[in-house]
Amino acid sequence: MATILRVTNLTKRYNSFTAVNRISFEIKEGEIVSLLGPNGAGKTTTIQMLLSLVSPTSGDIEVFGKNLRGHREELLSMMNFSAPYSLLPYNLTPREGLTVFSLLYGVRNYRERVKSLLDEFNLGELVNRKIGQLSSGEQMRLGIAKAFVNNPKLLLLDEPTASLDPPTARQLRARILKRIQESRGAVLWTSHNMREVETVSDRIIFLSRGRVVADDTPQNLKKQYGQEDLEEIFIIIANEPVRESL
Amino acid sequence: MNRLHILGIFYRNIVLIRRSVPKLFGLFGFVTVALFLWGFLTLWVQTLAPDDTATDFILLILSAFIFWSLFDLSQRSFGISFLEEVWSRNIINLFASPVKLSEMVVGFILVGVVQALLAFFYVTTLAFLLYALNIWTLGLYIIPFFINILVFGWALGVVTIGLVVRFGPSADILAFFIPFLVLPFSAVYYPVSVFPPVLQKLTFVLPTRHMFEGMRTAITEGVMPLDNVFWATVLNLGFVVLAFLFLYWMLRLARIKGYLSRLVQD
């Protein structure tokens, strides 16, 4: 399987504070990898560096073998993301919002793409309402639809189901998984819902205080920590002193 | 440059302007109210002048007002196009997309051109109906003034964006305030000769000073003031280059210090 994302010794320092400390990992074609860790572990900073919103202090990010530093626009056109802190413009309708992002991602047949996304994510009945008038769950669904406007090969999902009720979350997870299987893309997923993480992840990377402290399949992590439940592992890792970076 | 990226920026802003009453008021409402104010003031000033004066105060003062409004609008529309993304918490989506900064700026420029043309034709028609001011008597002289006014407004708009990127959404007041910093020193409603000698030298660097001084010459003497057009254009080019360097610097700093994510948190 080809490597889609390779992160090498990635570090971000803000003056004397180290938010991300020499982390390295890879994500291969078709893989869904969860990035977990307590608040302040460095997950959001890592995602923001992958989106080139934050410049790394040192280290490298390669997507499809190309360094993000020199190929920003080309690589971002193959990526997309969804995060609860980054909403679509509240004063547009869902159709207008998806049209804008289809254009911004250079989608040539944008009218057809918008129509198919509205159908696929059950947003058809909301097309004439302003995004700001939608419920947080509907906005989240729209945000995920936006993340698929360019059929990304690398998808970054930060808490993608945080505002959704369980049936909608399940439906949406299934849709995301189907899409990724079809496109042979890859996903970096963050969530505080351990059941969700266990369901979707091929691998889990645990971050703590800016370092990678574990990187393995959910089954192996359970064996390694002698726990039946990912949530217990999360609590152990959040409370333990930082070990050497993997 | 990717035309679809530019179209995306343009479409997003035009959709908003088209259906937002406050935005339409910002485009046409303020200028209407201000035209009444300056129109009445000019009519009164005209009555104070000797009967045999050859000066056409209406043409002189209201033309200055119209071009100043155009400058104000061009700077404001540019800054607000960017601020709209900050206010709607969409700015992260924009910077995480493959859109280049230059494409974003070109999109904003297109939005600015549409707004400027609409506002210019509207206000000149209204001035003709209310005060019989025919600004088109300036003929082709209008073109270099019009272009230089827009370009300087955009250059200051680029600086506004840089300041918002650096200082966060709380710097949005600058989008409205910057033109007023330039106004007293641009010789919009009075000649440069009224400035103290030091200020006459210092204000030389402002393209607006040359534009408005040149416009007065065109109105009163009926000749194209080539030296004013030359200096306005050269200085404008310098300001555009400096404004872009400033924006690139601010954006680089924002990526290093993590200011971009703060734009949706403040």
Side-chain angles (χ1 to χ4, degrees):
Chain A
M1 280 192 298
T3 300
I4 288 189
L5 172 69
R6 177 175 288 127
V7 169
T8 314
N9 290 327
L10 193 64
T11 301
K12 183 65 196 175
R13 281 193 209 96
Y14 295 107
N15 299 322
S16 59
F17 172 68
T18 304
V20 173
N21 195 354
R22 297 183 68 232
I23 65 169
S24 299
F25 62 88
E26 285 184 8
I27 304 183
K28 295 192 184 302
E29 192 183 282
E31 247 189 338
I32 297 180
V33 175
S34 286
L35 191 63
L36 303 185
N39 296 331
K43 304 186 296 290
T44 301
T45 306
T46 302
I47 285 182
Q48 289 183 346
M49 284 193 277
L50 296 177
L51 291 168
S52 96
L53 295 167
V54 169
S55 303
T57 306
S58 60
D60 286 304
I61 298 167
E62 285 177 24
V63 182
F64 291 106
K66 289 184 177 174
N67 200 307
L68 187 61
R69 204 168 286 150
H71 301 85
R72 182 186 169 273
E73 287 83 21
E74 181 192 347
L75 296 179
L76 285 179
S77 69
M78 294 190 273
M79 297 161 66
N80 212 318
F81 84 111
S82 169
Y85 49 82
S86 189
L87 307 173
L88 265 66
Y90 62 86
N91 39 21
L92 298 183
T93 65
R95 186 192 298 279
E96 290 163 350
L98 291 177
T99 302
V100 168
F101 280 97
S102 299
L103 290 167
L104 296 184
Y105 279 86
V107 177
R108 290 188 186 281
N109 55 339
Y110 59 90
R111 287 193 183 88
E112 292 81 12
R113 184 69 55 83
V114 169
K115 189 178 177 306
S116 76
L117 284 170
L118 288 170
D119 291 342
E120 185 180 345
F121 287 87
N122 298 327
L123 295 161
E125 73 274 21
L126 309 173
V127 283
N128 294 321
R129 284 166 61 189
K130 298 263 181 70
I131 293 169
Q133 296 168 339
L134 305 182
S135 69
S136 53
E138 289 166 339
Q139 289 194 30
M140 190 65 89
R141 242 160 65 206
L142 179 64
I144 292 172
K146 170 253 159 192
F148 282 108
V149 288
N150 57 331
N151 289 330
K153 285 286 180 190
L154 176 61
L155 189 57
L156 310 177
L157 298 173
D158 197 352
E159 300 270 2
T161 58
S163 309
L164 301 176
D165 57 64
T168 313
R170 179 182 289 182
Q171 208 179 22
L172 207 58
R173 272 196 300 272
R175 192 156 290 144
I176 293 169
L177 295 179
K178 184 168 170 281
R179 277 253 184 184
I180 294 306
Q181 272 176 350
E182 285 169 1
S183 69
R184 302 297 299 155
V187 182
L188 186 64
W189 189 304
T190 79
S191 175
H192 284 120
N193 179 343
M194 293 302 122
R195 210 167 145 199
E196 173 175 276
V197 167
E198 197 167 350
T199 311
V200 300
S201 308
D202 297 306
R203 247 170 59 227
I204 295 174
I205 297 170
F206 270 105
L207 286 183
S208 180
R209 286 164 234 181
R211 285 172 180 261
V212 173
V213 291
D215 180 352
D216 216 326
T217 62
Q219 294 72 25
N220 285 348
L221 282 171
K222 283 181 187 172
K223 274 188 213 157
Q224 192 184 329
Y225 282 85
Q227 298 290 332
E228 282 301 304
D229 194 344
L230 269 183
E231 194 159 301
E232 291 303 321
I233 300 174
F234 187 105
I235 292 166
I236 292 168
I237 285 175
N239 291 332
E240 75 182 1
V242 177
R243 297 179 300 176
E244 265 308 292
S245 180
L246 291 178
Chain B
M1 284 210 191
N2 186 317
R3 280 180 298 159
L4 290 174
H5 295 172
I6 296 168
L7 179 62
I9 299 285
F10 179 76
Y11 172 78
R12 188 263 194 275
N13 283 278
I14 292 298
V15 165
L16 273 188
I17 294 164
R18 204 180 55 191
R19 64 153 173 255
S20 163
V21 174
K23 283 192 187 302
L24 287 173
F25 186 78
L27 196 54
F28 301 115
F30 288 133
V31 79
T32 306
V33 175
L35 186 64
F36 276 112
L37 172 74
W38 283 98
F40 293 138
L41 185 72
T42 309
L43 289 177
W44 178 62
V45 169
Q46 185 100 51
T47 64
L48 299 178
D51 289 341
D52 60 344
T53 184
T55 309
D56 184 343
F57 284 94
I58 295 280
L59 187 59
L60 204 58
I61 296 181
L62 287 190
S63 300
F65 160 74
I66 288 171
F67 278 105
W68 178 258
S69 302
L70 194 67
F71 167 70
D72 182 35
L73 176 77
S74 113
Q75 188 274 343
R76 198 158 27 93
S77 86
F78 209 90
I80 288 179
S81 293
F82 182 79
L83 278 166
E84 193 62 56
E85 308 297 352
V86 175
W87 292 329
S88 61
R89 302 182 73 193
N90 184 44
I91 197 71
I92 295 288
N93 287 322
L94 199 56
F95 278 116
S97 76
V99 176
K100 290 179 189 163
L101 190 61
S102 54
E103 292 164 344
M104 203 186 297
V105 168
V106 171
F108 291 162
I109 285 176
L110 289 179
V111 176
V113 167
V114 170
Q115 292 193 67
L117 286 174
L118 283 174
F120 189 69
F121 284 113
Y122 167 76
V123 75
T124 51
T125 306
L126 196 63
F128 179 74
L129 294 174
L130 293 174
Y131 306 107
L133 167 68
N134 185 2
I135 203 164
W136 301 102
T137 55
L138 283 170
L140 294 176
Y141 298 163
I142 284 183
I143 296 170
F145 297 136
F146 189 87
I147 293 171
N148 270 309
I149 289 269
L150 287 190
V151 172
F152 189 50
W154 296 333
L156 292 189
V158 168
V159 172
T160 310
I161 294 176
L163 291 170
V164 172
V165 165
R166 169 62 187 83
F167 294 105
S170 54
D172 59 1
I173 189 73
L174 294 169
F176 306 94
F177 185 62
I178 282 182
F180 292 101
L181 282 178
V182 182
L183 176 60
F185 310 108
S186 295
V188 178
Y189 298 110
Y190 35 78
V192 173
S193 57
V194 304
F195 289 148
V198 176
L199 209 51
Q200 287 188 28
K201 287 199 174 93
L202 288 176
T203 56
F204 188 86
V205 296
L206 283 177
T208 37
R209 184 195 110 149
H210 301 281
M211 294 169 214
F212 286 99
E213 192 77 342
M215 193 193 66
R216 259 188 305 277
T217 308
I219 290 171
T220 54
E221 296 171 25
V223 291
M224 173 76 97
L226 287 176
D227 58 333
N228 287 120
V229 173
F230 171 78
W231 280 114
T233 308
V234 167
L235 288 165
N236 245 338
L237 288 174
F239 269 97
V240 166
V241 170
L242 288 175
F244 270 95
L245 289 175
F246 177 73
L247 179 58
Y248 274 101
W249 176 40
M250 287 296 114
L251 203 55
R252 187 169 171 272
L253 198 66
R255 287 198 166 109
I256 291 170
K257 301 276 187 187
Y259 294 150
L260 285 181
S261 50
R262 199 185 63 182
L263 287 174
V264 294
Q265 289 162 358
D266 276 7

